[in-house]
Amino acid sequence: MADQGGIRTGAGRPLGSRNRATADIKEGLSELAKTHTEAALETIVELMRDSLNDNVRLAAACSLLDRGYGKPSMTQVDNSTGHVITAFEVVADYQESDVAE
């Protein structure tokens, strides 16, 4: 009973051996999924147009935009100066305002 649990000598997969989920299997799965791209996009468009639930329609629309244009970045522009505001500046301004109070 004392040998149960913890790290044991010789336990686990030997160094250098291939994992069961090899690159060939992963690549095959990716290629199989790509064969259904058109049907998947048609389903997303159908949900966006016909769903009665606003949350489903919004999620489908966002999904289409993300696939077509990529996910939006987290930058904002200060319209008065044209300066791009980064997430770091927002956090810094927030922390400074906490100290000022």
Side-chain angles (χ1 to χ4, degrees):
M1 287 304 255
D3 289 336
Q4 294 181 351
I7 298 175
R8 295 179 303 280
T9 305
R13 186 168 43 95
L15 292 176
S17 66
R18 294 189 77 169
N19 194 343
R20 289 182 185 170
T22 62
D24 297 337
I25 293 172
K26 289 180 182 178
E27 184 177 317
L29 182 60
S30 175
E31 292 301 316
L32 180 62
K34 288 178 183 177
T35 63
H36 298 286
T37 300
E38 188 174 332
L41 284 174
E42 288 172 3
T43 301
I44 293 171
V45 169
E46 182 181 327
L47 286 170
M48 181 186 70
R49 290 183 178 157
D50 301 336
S51 178
L52 298 177
N53 186 328
D54 288 341
N55 290 332
V56 172
R57 290 181 28 230
L58 175 62
C62 289
S63 178
L64 284 172
L65 289 172
D66 289 348
R67 281 161 180 75
Y69 297 100
K71 294 192 181 222
S73 63
M74 291 285 293
T75 58
Q76 293 180 342
V77 176
D78 182 357
N79 289 332
S80 62
T81 62
H83 174 72
V84 175
I85 302 169
T86 65
F88 297 111
E89 290 174 334
V90 172
V91 171
D93 287 346
Y94 179 76
Q95 290 174 345
E96 288 174 5
S97 67
D98 283 349
V99 173
E101 293 177 1

